[in-house]
Amino acid sequence: MRSSCEGAHISGAERLLDFSQLEDAASSMLKRALNHSRGVPSHITLTLEQVGQEQLRKERLLPLSTFVADNWRHGRLLAVDMLEGLGLERRIVKNAISRLAAGPAPNHEVMRGAMLVDAMSGERLEPDRMRGVRVSRMDIDPAALPSICLLLDSLNLNRQRVLEAWVLASKVTLYPQVIAELCWSDDPDYQPGYVASAQNGYQRITHLKELGSSIGGRIFFVRQAAGLTSLIDSLQYEPLLFREPPLGRD
Ligand code: AMP
């Protein structure tokens, strides 16, 4: 689903479901589009595409941990430190964060998709800077949903947005070209965000942006431009279902 108002992105969501779940999911997507804190949409698009079972890949969610930040400035410093700890250059990380915070689209609004940033040069790599790269075709494996909900319950995190972001980050960081993802929401009421990487998992940060700001987005730090087309293709189209994270970490 995607919704917009006079061309400006309001909200979006992706699911990967069995035929039997489509009616309910379409109805809840519509409800969601119509009740978003970013505003009332003038356009709502629901796109349904068939995916063959044989294409389906099953993987595990990233291990999840939470870091408490007193405020968004502290949270951003924490995020920069985490990204630097993954081998990224501090200058490139800070520059990319400034671009996200200023509104990543050319008109300084939010994008529908993510920024792609070359980890070596800091250069923006997404082919369409108005749109960004939108990750799609991922969900929780229905057989694993009850135990994943129990796990989130035990962490007091059993909310749809946490689950969806966790799934998205688990897909993005599966591809070896991606070193890390940084995200904070464009929902003005929602301050948490995260740094995700195959190396350190899904690291939630309790405050990553100012309350009331509707500028948010995602940055994927990628190794190099080589293989970029196939990476973007996989992010957009490879169907993935996720099971519980591996045991042994938070
Ligand atoms: P949200 O976490 O839904 O508040 O989204 C925050 C920002 O992340 C949006 O403004 C988009 O720029 C970006 N985003 C949301 N969903 C996706 C997605 N499926 N793929 C890539 N970027 C996304």
Side-chain angles (χ1 to χ4, degrees):
M1 178 278 289
R2 66 188 167 90
S3 76
S4 59
C5 186
E6 311 303 341
H9 169 78
I10 294 196
S11 72
E14 281 76 25
R15 305 294 312 269
L16 181 58
L17 300 164
D18 186 74
F19 275 109
S20 62
Q21 299 169 288
L22 294 183
E23 268 188 58
D24 286 350
S27 148
S28 71
M29 289 273 191
L30 192 57
K31 227 177 252 161
R32 186 165 160 170
L34 292 170
N35 297 290
H36 201 277
S37 55
R38 286 174 59 77
V40 180
S42 60
H43 288 78
I44 302 172
T45 308
L46 281 182
T47 307
L48 287 85
E49 292 164 323
Q50 188 177 16
V51 173
Q53 281 280 357
E54 66 290 348
Q55 295 170 278
L56 209 53
R57 187 171 148 196
K58 294 197 180 181
E59 292 288 344
R60 288 198 175 270
L61 288 165
L62 288 172
L64 182 152
S65 51
T66 296
F67 293 76
V68 177
D70 302 332
N71 54 54
W72 67 271
R73 288 179 199 282
H74 175 210
R76 294 238 179 123
L77 273 178
L78 209 54
V80 172
D81 286 345
M82 285 174 177
L83 291 162
E84 197 181 19
L86 290 163
L88 291 159
E89 216 182 293
R90 200 169 181 90
R91 177 185 58 85
I92 287 178
V93 169
K94 288 180 102 173
N95 192 19
I97 289 181
S98 302
R99 285 200 264 177
L100 177 54
N107 59 359
H108 296 291
E109 287 294 334
V110 296
M111 301 190 301
R112 222 162 21 98
M115 289 166 62
L116 255 60
V117 170
D118 186 325
M120 295 297 288
S121 67
E123 192 192 338
R124 294 269 293 267
L125 299 174
E126 67 275 14
D128 179 344
R129 288 206 192 158
M130 220 37 209
R131 180 182 184 276
V133 173
R134 185 102 194 156
V135 187
S136 193
R137 301 192 180 182
M138 64 283 179
D139 217 306
I140 294 290
D141 184 343
L145 190 60
S147 65
I148 290 170
C149 287
L150 276 180
L151 173 63
L152 286 175
D153 263 339
S154 72
L155 300 169
N156 202 17
L157 288 175
N158 197 358
R159 295 184 279 283
Q160 172 124 5
R161 68 188 332 151
V162 175
L163 189 58
E164 284 181 4
W166 192 15
V167 167
L168 189 154
S170 299
K171 175 168 181 182
V172 170
T173 53
L174 266 182
Y175 302 104
Q177 295 103 308
V178 178
I179 299 172
E181 176 192 352
L182 169 71
C183 165
W184 70 80
S185 175
D186 57 24
D187 180 336
D189 303 331
Y190 196 70
Q191 289 188 281
Y194 63 84
V195 171
S197 62
Q199 192 174 314
N200 293 334
Y202 182 81
Q203 299 176 298
R204 293 183 66 248
I205 298 174
T206 54
H207 293 81
L208 211 42
K209 72 157 209 204
E210 319 89 299
L211 196 62
S213 163
S214 51
I215 298 292
R218 289 181 150 83
I219 308 172
F220 303 161
F221 292 94
V222 302
R223 277 180 217 286
Q224 56 192 342
L228 187 66
T229 313
S230 90
L231 172 65
I232 294 175
D233 197 66
S234 304
L235 289 169
Q236 295 184 138
Y237 302 118
E238 186 176 16
L240 273 149
L241 286 180
F242 287 92
R243 303 180 48 221
E244 302 85 347
L247 292 173
R249 288 167 74 173
D250 288 342

